[in-house]
Amino acid sequence: MYGLTTAAALVATAGYVLAAPSALVPRKTFQVSQIAKGKVFINGPTQVVKTHQKYAKLGATVPSDAAAAAAAVQSGSVAANPEQYDESYLCPVSVGGQTLNLDFDTGSADLWVFSTVTPSSESTGHARYNPSTSGTLKSGYKWNISYGDGSGASGTVYADKVVVGGVTATSQAVEAATSVSAQFTQDTNNDGLLGLAFSSINTVTPQQQTTFFDTVKPTLAKPLFAVDLKKGTAGSYQFGYIDSSKYTGSITYTSVSTANGFWQFTAGGYSVGTSTTTSGSISGASIADTGTTLLYLPDAVVTAYYAKVSGAKYDSTQGGYTFPSSSTLPNFNVNIGGTVFTVPGSYIKFAPVSSTTYFGGIQSSAGIGFNIFGDIFLKAVYAIFDESQSTPRLGFAKQ
Ligand SMILES: O=C(c1ccc(-c2ccco2)nc1O)N(Cc1ccccn1)C1CC1
């Protein structure tokens, strides 16, 4: 979760069986190296149900437990609605039967909500979760999180039913805020966060809790979620499946390190403008973070980018690079996993900070410790957060 923190800038701040490669029958004698199609586990209960159904005509009946287990194969899709200037995207979630609009954040791992236990002075204008309806207090459990933009929240923990796009977690840790920082109070579109980073950075004590994704993962058709953010209009998140209508071409996968709890990967070369021949490299670790508004890159890359924008400058009062409102910005191209993805210049012309000046969607990651591929990048691609392999991986495809 990381918006802009500057005075004048806009206040802005988720079963496979090894599919033996199809036997290739070469028309001609030539060497074919078979590439495993990737692991495809079959969901056991579904198979049991199918077998019984197949023999139903002979009188077999489907055992109820297998049917129930088969029903547990879930998938679903939920809208991601942009705030003004795409500062963040909010998704409707049912928490204990109450609908709250939450910021799905692949950069954190806590599901926390405004609630009836949040002081009204801090929660006016927000939908609030009432744990007394169906929540079970996890007695003595607490949480406390601070985000890179200086915002934060803390509170107590309940177990309750959480539904996202029809995918149900029957007993999810719901972190009710007893205190939130001013940035959250002020953004009345936002009723809380749904963390989609790795549960290893969940802040609940004395016992760490799982994210919504980790809670439902065993019941999903595929253990993955996909993100289709868009510029200035509603996108969506898919849980348990990839929607092939949401991208063109193929998906390029790249390996992920979970060491810091983030969806962390290594980005390659980059270029500025219409040439997609990339050079150089984007130094340091990078993370895919739906909860961060902008695209934070190494100083050298940012300097090279804004050198192509006349009138651009680093404005310390704004806390970032700005440029004249009349500017036409160049594209930013980045090689990830061998494929070059393009962020259109129009996406990087982020938001006005005055009648004559815009704030840039690309800013420096100096001081953060890693590069952050936030919404400015993610709205240009279809992103797959995939745990279907032996280690997690990120997939990217052109929208
Ligand atoms: O805001 C966060 C952020 C998210 C979660 C946690 C956290 C601490 C403990 C558990 O989760 N700490 C953060 O700081 N950004 C973005 C960011 C931007 C700038 C500087 C630092 N960070 C994390 C995803 C990278």
Side-chain angles (χ1 to χ4, degrees):
M1 170 67 199
Y2 192 58
L4 310 177
T5 53
T6 56
L10 289 146
V11 174
T13 36
Y16 305 78
V17 72
L18 196 58
S22 54
L24 300 175
V25 181
R27 298 281 174 239
K28 288 175 284 185
T29 55
F30 53 88
Q31 178 58 40
V32 177
S33 56
Q34 293 188 343
I35 298 168
K37 284 192 170 189
K39 293 164 64 157
V40 178
F41 289 124
I42 281 180
N43 178 294
T46 308
Q47 290 310 306
V48 169
V49 170
K50 284 183 175 171
T51 303
H52 283 278
Q53 285 168 342
K54 184 176 166 186
Y55 291 102
K57 53 184 179 295
L58 304 176
T61 54
V62 178
S64 57
D65 54 336
V73 179
Q74 303 189 84
S75 64
S77 182
V78 67
N81 301 301
E83 290 195 305
Q84 188 180 36
Y85 303 115
D86 300 346
E87 184 280 329
S88 74
Y89 294 80
L90 297 159
C91 308
V93 175
S94 173
V95 184
Q98 305 142 53
T99 298
L100 278 69
N101 294 316
L102 304 184
D103 180 357
F104 285 19
D105 179 14
T106 59
S108 66
D110 286 50
L111 193 173
W112 73 261
V113 291
F114 280 83
S115 75
T116 50
V117 298
T118 314
S120 50
S121 60
E122 296 176 11
S123 58
T124 304
H126 294 266
R128 300 192 294 171
Y129 164 62
N130 183 346
S132 63
T133 311
S134 57
T136 302
L137 175 68
K138 297 182 83 77
S139 182
Y141 283 53
K142 302 284 183 201
W143 61 280
N144 187 325
I145 192 165
S146 26
Y147 299 104
D149 60 359
S151 63
S154 60
T156 53
V157 187
Y158 296 83
D160 211 335
K161 180 176 170 183
V162 173
V163 185
V164 176
V167 174
T168 298
T170 50
S171 182
Q172 170 65 35
V174 176
E175 302 173 29
T178 54
S179 174
V180 301
S181 66
Q183 296 100 316
F184 287 111
T185 297
Q186 285 158 10
D187 182 0
T188 51
N189 300 308
N190 179 322
D191 303 323
L193 264 69
L194 188 142
L196 293 169
F198 293 92
S199 299
S200 60
I201 61 171
N202 174 268
T203 72
V204 173
T205 58
Q207 203 172 34
Q208 206 166 46
Q209 301 297 299
T210 54
T211 64
F212 170 79
F213 176 59
D214 274 348
T215 304
V216 300
K217 192 165 59 178
T219 68
L220 292 178
K222 293 183 178 182
L224 60 82
F225 62 91
V227 184
D228 177 25
L229 300 182
K230 291 178 181 293
K231 182 177 189 298
T233 193
S236 60
Y237 285 72
Q238 284 71 54
F239 288 89
Y241 73 105
I242 292 169
D243 183 339
S244 57
S245 72
K246 296 193 181 303
Y247 66 93
T248 59
S250 60
I251 299 171
T252 297
Y253 288 96
T254 193
S255 55
V256 162
S257 163
T258 63
N260 296 314
F262 301 127
W263 291 87
Q264 185 176 313
F265 66 102
T266 301
Y270 71 94
S271 67
V272 179
T274 48
S275 157
T276 55
T277 305
T278 61
S279 61
S281 75
I282 293 179
S283 58
S286 295
I287 69 166
D289 182 9
T290 57
T292 288
T293 310
L294 305 182
L295 171 51
Y296 294 88
L297 297 169
D299 269 339
V301 178
V302 179
T303 305
Y305 179 82
Y306 286 111
K308 302 281 179 68
V309 180
S310 58
K313 65 176 181 177
Y314 181 83
D315 180 340
S316 53
T317 59
Q318 299 290 351
Y321 281 84
T322 62
F323 44 85
S325 303
S326 58
S327 307
T328 300
L329 267 62
N331 297 346
F332 179 76
N333 311 294
V334 56
N335 185 321
I336 300 174
T339 300
V340 178
F341 297 96
T342 295
V343 181
S346 56
Y347 288 23
I348 303 164
K349 189 170 185 181
F350 172 60
V353 289
S354 77
S355 58
T356 61
T357 308
Y358 262 69
F359 197 80
I362 285 177
Q363 297 295 339
S364 172
S365 62
I368 294 176
F370 35 80
N371 307 308
I372 304 182
F373 283 66
D375 300 338
I376 292 287
F377 172 78
L378 292 169
K379 69 178 90 166
V381 298
Y382 189 47
I384 320 294
F385 295 72
D386 183 346
E387 293 198 34
S388 71
Q389 309 296 297
S390 52
T391 60
R393 64 180 181 172
L394 276 167
F396 296 108
K398 299 175 195 287
Q399 271 194 26

